[in-house]
Amino acid sequence: MWMKKIGLSGFWGVMGRSSSFTVVIILGLVLNAAVVCNGGITSSFVRKVEKTNDMPLDSDVFRVPPGYNAPQQVHMTQGDHEGRGVIISWVTVAEPGSDTVLYWSENSKRKNRAEGIMVTYKFYNYTSGYIHHCTLRNLEFNTKYYYEVGIGHSPRKFWFVTPPKVGPDVPYSFGLIGDLGQSYDSNRTLSHYELNPAKGQTVLFLGDLSYADNYSNHNNVRWDTWGRFVERSVAYQPWIWTAGNHEIDFAPEIKVSLHPLSLIVTGIMSPTEHQIVPHPSGTQSRGLQHTSLSCHHTQHMGKYTPQYRWLQNELPKVNRSETPWLIVLMHAPWYNSYNYHYMEGETMRVMYEPWLVQYKVDVVFAGHVHAYERSYRMSNIAYNVVNGICTPVNDLSAPVYITVGDGGNLEGLATNMTEPQPKYSAYREASFGHASFEIKNRSHAYYSWHRNEDGYAVEADSLWFFNRFWHPIDDSRSA
């Protein structure tokens, strides 16, 4: 496991095969279904135009598990910097119940116990269930574990597999989902990911989770339904979270203004902070180093802010001999050629892009724009107000920027693109889908994007990545 990832995301630090023959075939498919523009390729694939609606509250994917006080909304994330810990979270409704997690390895009959904590919160006229968080520590690498929650009432059993020990040439794969929501299209995206033979061993989530804030009074019941909806995946593999603008609960009409960092400022936690445990920023994970930065709060982006100082100190720590791959996650993209959220990330880009080039970040993943786009390796860091040099240029030290904000939420697709397609844009398409990033060794990784309308193994876009530290040749035009 060998990459370093730095997440410039909503709010939290998110750390995180194809043969060459397949790549050639995919290239042929892309060229046959695309239009070459001033920049790269604008896909000519046209998705059927239809309204995106949230699934009703009585949908089967929101079903409450049977049994008295049965745990629901079970989810897990990485719990340490090595891959030997996970955080298990769940909700009980009738009463607090037990904070205990029983867990054991596949080849062991001895059950271990871990004790967690329980919290609740109130948001306007909503009162949460009892939210439990429990950390399992000192797990063995590359081992399947079973775990039970809800001890004493209606226990439920799940399983997960720990990652292999971190090393520069250890393979590992990540799924990428952003802006998911809980619509019918969201369900198609999650199903498509689950059934994909190339799905990741861990999901890197690119922000905007439940879209509960789109409802009157930020109806937090929609956080509960979302938690039950994604349980079928996140109870079995870690999802590492990047938060977005829809995790900011700013509702002046009901005199509520909270966001996931509000606990630090006010001692009051937001729904996201209670429900989804944040992952430590700047984590080493699966041979990757990664970090997350806030995109939607100016107080977090400015010079000399805690976030600025933290990133300034974090990037030089990356040892590319141990964690060759350096990945950044953010929510709002810096390079975006859609007329949605256009240039919203510009303030942040001007502040931080020189560092990403200096430290040779391999790839930046973002969401926010409800469509798909991939860039070439470009940078725009020469401008200094006086010289007027403000055009992106080819830069082999720069990352590839990929927007995967196409999870399927109720706000629908972004379909209006800037014309002509800018030179930094390699491929763009207004479709729902998900992506995967497969680390092969210290020098190579394989990336693919899958639209929902295709078969599970079909790659609508793909690229072999060459590591910027170990193999810094031009890869962004080899799709």
Side-chain angles (χ1 to χ4, degrees), residues 158-183:
F158 304 88
W159 58 265
F160 62 89
V161 178
T162 55
K165 187 176 181 179
V166 171
D169 290 305
V170 177
Y172 201 80
S173 61
F174 295 88
L176 291 144
I177 299 174
D179 300 74
L180 184 61
Q182 47 194 299
S183 72

Side-chain angles (χ1 to χ4, degrees), residues 4-246:
K4 172 114 182 160
K5 144 182 144 221
I6 291 187
L8 309 182
S9 88
F11 315 97
W12 299 316
V14 176
M15 268 225 41
R17 337 201 134 167
S18 217
S19 64
S20 55
F21 174 76
T22 306
V23 173
V24 172
I25 290 180
I26 294 301
L27 175 60
L29 291 173
V30 169
L31 292 177
N32 286 335
V35 177
V36 179
C37 302
N38 183 51
I41 294 171
T42 295
S43 172
S44 60
F45 177 85
V46 178
R47 180 183 181 275
K48 180 182 177 181
V49 178
E50 55 188 353
K51 184 175 175 56
T52 302
N53 294 310
D54 270 358
M55 294 176 284
L57 294 176
D58 61 355
S59 297
D60 59 349
V61 295
F62 300 151
R63 186 175 296 135
V64 175
Y68 175 75
N69 210 37
Q72 58 173 272
Q73 305 175 51
V74 180
H75 55 281
M76 61 183 295
T77 191
Q78 182 171 317
D80 66 4
H81 289 190
E82 295 181 88
R84 297 188 64 196
V86 296
I87 301 172
I88 307 294
S89 303
W90 69 98
V91 176
T92 53
V93 176
E95 59 176 278
S98 172
D99 293 324
T100 301
V101 175
L102 299 180
Y103 64 101
W104 61 97
S105 65
E106 183 176 32
N107 298 319
S108 173
K109 296 180 180 180
R110 179 178 177 272
K111 292 187 177 181
N112 304 291
R113 298 174 65 93
E115 301 299 327
I117 62 170
M118 185 275 293
V119 295
T120 61
Y121 74 93
K122 290 186 178 181
F123 186 91
Y124 191 54
N125 59 356
Y126 169 89
T127 299
S128 74
Y130 304 95
I131 303 166
H132 306 258
H133 302 299
C134 184
T135 303
L136 313 186
R137 297 181 173 88
N138 300 317
L139 304 173
E140 297 297 322
F141 290 116
N142 203 27
T143 301
K144 185 174 184 177
Y145 281 88
Y146 294 92
Y147 69 97
E148 285 185 0
V149 292
I151 309 304
H153 287 134
S154 301
R156 298 179 67 200
K157 185 171 77 171
F158 304 88
W159 58 265
F160 62 89
V161 178
T162 55
K165 187 176 181 179
V166 171
D169 290 305
V170 177
Y172 201 80
S173 61
F174 295 88
L176 291 144
I177 299 174
D179 300 74
L180 184 61
Q182 47 194 299
S183 72
Y184 291 101
D185 285 303
S186 310
N187 194 33
R188 294 185 187 101
T189 297
L190 189 55
S191 297
H192 202 232
Y193 167 72
E194 291 175 297
L195 294 171
N196 189 342
K199 79 172 185 178
Q201 294 159 274
T202 290
V203 169
L204 305 179
F205 193 91
L206 302 171
D208 284 358
L209 286 69
S210 72
Y211 286 79
D213 64 325
N214 274 12
Y215 287 84
S216 177
N217 300 328
H218 292 213
N219 186 359
N220 275 220
V221 169
R222 280 292 180 174
W223 271 109
D224 294 326
T225 55
W226 193 84
R228 294 194 291 270
F229 164 52
V230 298
E231 181 189 86
R232 70 200 205 210
S233 174
V234 71
Y236 297 94
Q237 63 174 182
W239 283 30
I240 297 177
W241 308 98
T242 303
N245 54 296
H246 283 279

Side-chain angles (χ1 to χ4, degrees), residues 251-324:
E253 69 279 7
I254 56 175
K255 298 181 180 180
V256 175
S257 179
L258 297 173
H259 61 77
L261 294 180
S262 59
L263 177 64
I264 298 172
V265 179
T266 66
I268 302 171
M269 298 176 80
S270 76
T272 314
E273 183 82 1
H274 274 293
Q275 298 274 8
I276 307 296
V277 175
H279 186 77
S281 297
T283 301
Q284 177 178 308
S285 167
R286 289 78 164 139
L288 135 91
Q289 182 76 31
H290 62 268
T291 304
S292 284
L293 303 182
S294 171
C295 293
H296 295 285
H297 295 85
T298 55
Q299 69 267 34
H300 303 149
M301 289 188 289
K303 203 167 186 179
Y304 310 126
T305 60
Q307 177 169 262
Y308 178 93
R309 293 182 185 277
W310 165 77
L311 185 62
Q312 188 177 39
N313 293 328
E314 182 69 23
L315 283 169
K317 296 177 184 176
V318 182
N319 183 343
R320 303 295 282 267
S321 295
E322 294 181 358
T323 54

